[in-house]
Amino acid sequence: MAGLVGAGLLVASVAGCGAQEDVKEIKDETKKLEEKTKQLEKETDQMVNGTFEVVYKVTGSGKVSEIGWFEGSGGQTSSKTAKDQTVPWEKKLTMKGVTSIPSLTVILGEQGGTADCVILVNGKEAKRATAKGEFGMASCIADPGVGTEAG
């Protein structure tokens, strides 16, 4: 009988060691998940509240009839227009938050031709389109997450 009790204690002792390893594993996984959660919270904050640099470009030759773009931050954007512009044309600005969507439109005149509209976000090309021909039009709408640390 003493042998059975001793064997039982040995089995219980071995089982207890396994439980301790399981607890350690769970603690390690919990720590990893907490670190990942903090990283995701940081990335989300950057997307919602972070600023990003935008460069609007219109390339081609000669003149374009109209260039239109959005500027502003945190969803408080406004449209701007420049008429009869010589290209190349460029506008640099800072926008904030995912609700600020970079947008650029170019309209050619009666003389036609070809012009590209390009949007760079944090130095990376986010969108490009080409206007061709008489009164040709091109429009670019960029993802504000392009070029961000989180994006």
Side-chain angles (χ1 to χ4, degrees):
M1 185 78 151
L4 285 175
V5 171
L9 289 174
L10 180 61
V11 168
S13 175
V14 170
C17 287
Q20 288 175 351
E21 289 174 8
D22 289 345
V23 168
K24 183 182 180 318
E25 239 181 85
I26 290 169
K27 285 182 179 179
D28 289 346
E29 283 300 313
T30 301
K31 185 177 179 181
K32 287 178 188 175
L33 289 172
E34 287 171 348
E35 290 170 1
K36 183 65 176 173
T37 299
K38 285 180 185 176
Q39 180 63 31
L40 289 172
E41 287 172 348
K42 181 181 173 184
E43 290 174 5
T44 300
D45 183 62
Q46 173 64 27
M47 287 176 57
V48 173
N49 299 311
T51 60
F52 53 97
E53 301 300 316
V54 175
V55 178
Y56 295 130
K57 292 183 176 187
V58 178
T59 61
S61 59
K63 286 192 171 200
V64 295
S65 178
E66 186 173 305
I67 299 170
W69 68 96
F70 283 105
E71 57 183 55
S73 291
Q76 302 297 317
T77 56
S78 60
S79 62
K80 305 291 183 182
T81 304
K83 298 197 181 277
D84 299 319
Q85 295 296 301
T86 300
V87 293
W89 176 93
E90 185 174 295
K91 174 82 173 166
K92 295 179 183 182
L93 51 104
T94 300
M95 298 181 92
K96 179 180 178 181
V98 293
T99 58
S100 299
I101 308 296
S103 177
L104 176 64
T105 302
V106 59
I107 302 171
L108 300 175
E110 188 175 349
Q111 79 284 358
T114 301
D116 287 334
C117 66
V118 181
I119 300 176
L120 303 175
V121 176
N122 290 337
K124 295 181 182 177
E125 186 172 309
K127 195 68 174 175
R128 175 183 293 266
T130 303
K132 295 179 183 178
E134 186 177 352
F135 301 108
M137 185 176 95
S139 184
C140 295
I141 300 172
D143 177 353
V146 172
T148 64
E149 293 298 316

